[in-house]
Amino acid sequence: MTKADIVARISDRLGMEKGDVQATVETFMEEVKSSLESGDNVYLRGFGSFIVKTRAEKTGRNISKNTTIKIPAHNIPAFKPAKVFVEGVKTKVEVE
């Protein structure tokens, strides 16, 4: 599913103009991104949390030059789904 698919489904379900829904979805995503960039987590009860995770410093390998490199500690965005979300996927999506 793409962002356009989400916009189309919400527009059909609520009877709103696609342009208005598009603006709302874009604004939501910008707010989540902005919050994470400033170090604030976003909690959506029953859905999940967008959080900032810290990765520790580690040693990696550059295979083409056969050398070791130091990868500094850094933060990454992550999503942690709520329990009800996980359970819904477990029970409703068939294992392939």
Side-chain angles (χ1 to χ4, degrees), residues 6 9-10 15 20 37 52 79-81:
I6 292 170
R9 283 190 182 186
I10 293 171
D20 294 339
E37 286 174 346
V52 177
F79 176 74
K80 183 178 178 185

Side-chain angles (χ1 to χ4, degrees), residues 23-90:
T24 303
V25 170
E26 290 284 341
T27 303
F28 170 77
M29 293 182 348
E30 288 171 15
E31 287 300 318
V32 170
K33 182 179 172 186
S34 174
S35 293
L36 293 176
E37 286 174 346
S38 63
D40 298 328
N41 295 331
V42 177
Y43 303 101
L44 303 172
R45 188 176 300 255
F47 185 73
S49 303
F50 294 93
I51 58 175
V52 177
K53 278 188 165 181
T54 301
R55 293 282 171 104
E57 181 180 286
K58 64 182 180 179
T59 303
R61 302 261 322 143
N62 182 343
I63 296 172
S64 63
K65 295 182 181 178
N66 198 25
T67 58
T68 59
I69 57 173
K70 187 176 284 189
I71 301 170
H74 58 280
N75 292 326
I76 59 165
F79 176 74
K80 183 178 178 185
K83 280 186 179 181
V84 292
F85 186 2
V86 172
E87 289 302 316
V89 172
K90 277 185 182 178

